[in-house]
């Protein structure tokens, strides 16, 4: 156990250094990190759901979609990434209908594709993008860490016993409160908090993060898998580490898109819209 703990801490520190270093650098470095996470997520998804075994050709379509999305993100053609993802979902959905295969294929295409797109969109290439990404990280990590400790300390009714028996309502509420406080703290280190909008956004992202955690637990339980993979020593797979971040980032993407649509697209800076600046 002591060796396992040391391995877990060491790999965690390496992951944190890579993530924060790429976040600080922004630009191509973070785009590369975003697409790497998205591609690894699709790899683990296809392994968990056995897409490669059950539908080799369909899985190849899924991989093609991920590679094209990754190329668009890396070449800074972000406006085309969502339409391409939408087309890929239509194509994979038609494939499932025609071949009578698994709906886990389009689900995986959406899950992994939105991972790459939303992360890259939040960070962008400017100073506001850095703050926005750190804000999302703070909310997700604050929620995850304190949900665990509050849940262990307080206990009480289970949140979703059929999906994840260890999670409690006390942990979910405590994690949400701490996630909001962590996100607000990051924001206030750079800007003044003049309205209640930002804490509400932080709360929505915290809830999305916890739903993401439950979603991955549901998928793994559905296929009888303990960990999403073995890529990270002591931590399991990539999906195990970014499940909450994926849902929070996608929620942020949806919030910004809705605001841009309602506002007529006047402000196209993703981070500025997310932070309400």
């Amino acid at each position: 156990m002591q060796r396992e703990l040391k391995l877990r801490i060491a790999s965690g520190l390496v992951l944190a250094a890579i993530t924060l270093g790429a976040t600080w650098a922004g630009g191509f470095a973070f785009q590369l990190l975003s697409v790497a996470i998205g591609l690894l997520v699709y790899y683990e998804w296809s392994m968990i759901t056995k897409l490669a075994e059950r539908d080799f050709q369909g899985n190849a379509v899924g991989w093609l979609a991920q590679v094209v999305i990754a190329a668009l993100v890396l070449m800074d053609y972000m406006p085309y990434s969502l339409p391409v993802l939408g087309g890929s979902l239509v194509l994979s959905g038609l494939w499932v209908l025609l071949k009578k295969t698994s709906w886990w294929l389009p689900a995986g295409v959406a899950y992994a594709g939105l991972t790459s797109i939303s992360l890259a969109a939040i960070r962008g290439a400017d100073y506001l993008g850095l703050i926005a990404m750190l804000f999302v990280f703070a909310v997700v990590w604050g929620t995850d860490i304190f949900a665990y400790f509050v849940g262990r300390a307080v206990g009480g009714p289970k949140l979703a016993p059929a999906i994840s028996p260890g999670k409690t309502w006390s942990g979910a509420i405590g994690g949400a409160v701490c996630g909001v406080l962590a996100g607000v703290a990051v924001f206030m280190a750079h800007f003044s908090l003049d309205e209640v909008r930002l804490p509400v956004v932080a709360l929505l992202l915290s809830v999305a993060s916890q739903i993401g955690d439950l979603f991955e637990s549901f998928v793994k339980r559905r296929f009888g898998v303990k960990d999403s993979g073995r890529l990270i020593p002591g931590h399991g797979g990539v999906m195990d580490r970014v499940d909450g971040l994926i849902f929070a980032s996608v929620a942020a993407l949806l919030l910004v898109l809705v605001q841009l649509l309602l506002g007529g697209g006047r402000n196209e800076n993703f981070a500025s819209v997310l932070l309400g600046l």
Side-chain angles (χ1 to χ4, degrees):
M1 287 299 294
Q2 188 176 16
R3 180 181 178 277
E4 181 72 16
L5 179 60
K6 289 180 179 178
L7 184 63
R8 188 178 179 88
I9 292 172
S11 59
L13 290 173
V14 171
L15 287 173
I18 292 172
T19 301
L20 293 175
T23 303
W24 179 265
F28 184 78
F30 194 83
Q31 289 169 339
L32 187 61
L33 177 65
S34 299
V35 300
I37 292 174
L39 291 172
L40 288 171
V41 163
Y42 188 77
Y43 166 75
E44 291 183 351
W45 179 280
S46 63
M47 292 297 102
I48 293 172
T49 59
K50 296 180 171 57
L51 281 175
E53 300 173 21
R54 300 160 71 182
D55 185 10
F56 179 81
Q57 291 176 312
N59 192 44
V61 172
W63 271 114
L64 177 61
Q66 300 309 313
V67 170
V68 172
I69 290 170
L72 290 172
V73 171
L74 290 175
M75 293 189 295
D76 220 11
Y77 292 148
M78 289 295 293
Y80 300 101
S81 59
L82 280 176
V84 167
L85 176 59
S88 301
L89 289 176
V90 171
L91 181 61
S92 59
L94 289 173
W95 178 269
V96 171
L97 289 173
L98 291 173
K99 298 294 184 178
K100 309 297 183 184
T101 56
S102 172
W103 284 100
W104 292 102
L105 171 61
V109 170
Y111 191 64
L114 285 171
T115 297
S116 299
I117 294 169
S118 59
L119 286 171
I122 293 170
R123 175 57 184 92
D126 58 10
Y127 170 73
L128 283 179
L130 171 62
I131 306 307
M133 196 70 252
L134 292 177
F135 166 73
V136 174
F137 282 155
V139 172
V140 173
W141 294 343
T143 298
D144 188 42
I145 293 169
F146 285 96
Y148 174 79
F149 285 111
V150 173
R152 290 290 297 269
V154 178
K158 301 298 183 180
L159 178 63
I163 299 175
S164 185
K167 291 181 173 57
T168 62
W169 277 102
S170 63
I173 295 170
V177 171
C178 293
V180 170
L181 292 175
V184 169
V186 168
F187 181 85
M188 292 185 67
H190 303 273
F191 311 102
S192 61
L193 186 65
D194 300 322
E195 54 185 26
V196 74
R197 179 191 174 280
L198 188 88
V200 172
V201 170
L203 178 60
L204 291 174
L205 299 189
S206 177
V207 171
S209 171
Q210 297 192 59
I211 293 173
D213 195 349
L214 290 172
F215 174 72
E216 201 216 352
S217 295
F218 163 74
V219 174
K220 291 192 296 185
R221 185 171 288 269
R222 168 68 174 74
F223 289 94
V225 174
K226 182 179 182 294
D227 295 319
S228 65
R230 299 179 179 177
L231 292 174
I232 307 174
H235 287 268
V238 173
M239 280 174 58
D240 294 325
R241 302 277 65 82
V242 299
D243 49 7
L245 178 62
I246 291 172
F247 265 59
S249 298
V250 173
L253 177 66
L254 293 175
L255 283 172
V256 170
L257 290 177
V258 168
Q259 290 181 77
L260 288 175
L261 287 172
L262 293 177
R266 287 189 296 271
N267 186 348
E268 296 184 0
N269 186 294
F270 188 101
S272 177
V273 175
L274 179 63
L275 299 174
L277 299 171

